[in-house]
Amino acid sequence: MSARDNILARIRKNSGREGLTTGLELSQVRTHIARQERGPQPSIARDNPVARFIQESDRLKSTVAEVDRLADVPQAAAAYLKQNALESAVVGWPSLSGLDWAAAGITYENRLACGEDMVGITDCFCGIGETGTLLLLSSPTTPKLHALLPETHLCVLSKARIVHTMEDAFQLVRTERGELPRATFFVSGPSRTADIEQTIVIGAHGPYRVHIILTP
C-alpha cells in the first residue's frame, strides 16, 4: 500500500467506514459533482467584469495596461520594463513567441524559466472580475514556472476572457477543457505574506510584481 493509500484508508476508517470505496459511493460523489451547485452570489458579481477586474487588480497591487491589438503587446511590455528599470531579456510561453518582440527591443526566449530569469511572460486561461484574479492552467506548453519563479510576471489577458466570478471560471474550464489539468493555479497580485510579526512582505513566495496587459 502506498503512502497515499495508507492516509486515505486511515481517513476512511476514522470516518466509520471499512474496506475500499464502493462503486455506489463513487457514483454518489460523481452525481454530486455533476450537479455543480452554486452558492449565493454577491450583488457585485454581475458588475461589468472588465471594469471590476481592473479595479480589483489595482487593489491587489497588480498594474494594468490596455492595448488595441495583440500585436501591440511587445511595445506595452517594453514600456513597462523601461519604466521599472528592468532588463529587456524575458522568458515566456510558446503562445506569445510569434509576436515581434525584437522590434520592441526585447529578447524573448521560449524555454522553461530558471532561477536567473528576472521577467516571465505568460497569457492565461481567463481572468476573474470579482477578485482581479488570473486563472492559469498547466500543460506542457503552459508551464507554471514562468508565472511563479521570476521576480516580475507579465500576463497577457484578453478582455473577452474575463468572467464575473470564480464559479464562472470553473464552468468555463468544464465547457472548454472537460476536466481540470494536473495543476490549476490562481494569481491574485504580487506574492505576499504576513507570517512574520504580521508585517506584509512582498515577493515572499513568488513575483514582486504582476503586470497585466489587456487585449481586446
Side-chain angles (χ1 to χ4, degrees):
M1 179 179 290
S2 68
R4 176 180 180 274
D5 291 337
N6 185 45
I7 292 171
L8 293 176
R10 287 162 56 192
I11 293 173
R12 184 171 175 80
K13 182 177 180 181
N14 291 335
S15 299
R17 299 178 181 179
E18 298 292 340
L20 298 175
T21 304
T22 66
L24 176 60
E25 289 172 327
L26 289 174
S27 177
Q28 290 172 336
V29 169
R30 290 178 179 132
T31 299
H32 175 76
I33 293 174
R35 284 201 299 265
Q36 300 171 13
E37 296 176 350
R38 294 192 180 199
Q41 300 288 296
S43 59
I44 61 173
R46 295 300 158 187
D47 291 349
N48 180 309
V50 176
R52 185 74 186 180
F53 180 86
I54 294 172
Q55 177 183 336
E56 290 301 309
S57 294
D58 180 68
R59 185 179 65 82
L60 293 169
K61 305 306 180 185
S62 295
T63 52
V64 178
E66 298 184 56
V67 296
D68 295 327
R69 307 173 302 156
L70 181 62
D72 296 331
V73 166
Q75 291 293 342
Y80 175 80
L81 296 177
K82 182 177 180 181
Q83 178 184 354
N84 290 275
L86 300 172
E87 60 184 72
S88 57
V90 306
V91 58
W93 283 359
S95 56
L96 299 170
S97 62
L99 298 176
D100 195 353
W101 298 98
I106 293 177
T107 301
Y108 188 99
E109 293 190 71
N110 172 18
R111 58 169 174 78
L112 287 177
C114 65
E116 287 72 38
D117 293 312
M118 294 292 101
V119 182
I121 299 182
T122 73
D123 54 32
C124 68
F125 180 75
C126 70
I128 302 171
E130 182 185 4
T131 57
T133 298
L134 304 168
L135 171 57
L136 291 84
L137 306 180
S138 70
S139 77
T141 57
T142 58
K144 59 185 178 181
L145 286 178
H146 297 75
L148 301 178
L149 192 56
E151 292 185 353
T152 300
H153 175 204
L154 273 60
C155 185
V156 180
L157 170 63
S158 168
K159 287 184 278 189
R161 301 287 298 182
I162 298 178
V163 299
H164 290 282
T165 66
M166 189 170 295
E167 289 88 346
D168 292 327
F170 278 116
Q171 182 59 55
L172 191 62
V173 175
R174 295 187 189 100
T175 300
E176 296 187 357
R177 300 294 178 91
E179 61 182 14
L180 294 175
R182 183 181 184 191
T184 302
F185 53 108
F186 299 90
V187 176
S188 297
S191 170
R192 69 195 71 200
T193 184
D195 292 343
I196 302 174
E197 297 182 350
Q198 298 299 300
T199 300
I200 294 294
V201 177
I202 302 295
H205 309 296
Y208 289 90
R209 310 172 194 87
V210 174
H211 182 61
I212 303 162
I213 302 175
L214 294 179
T215 66

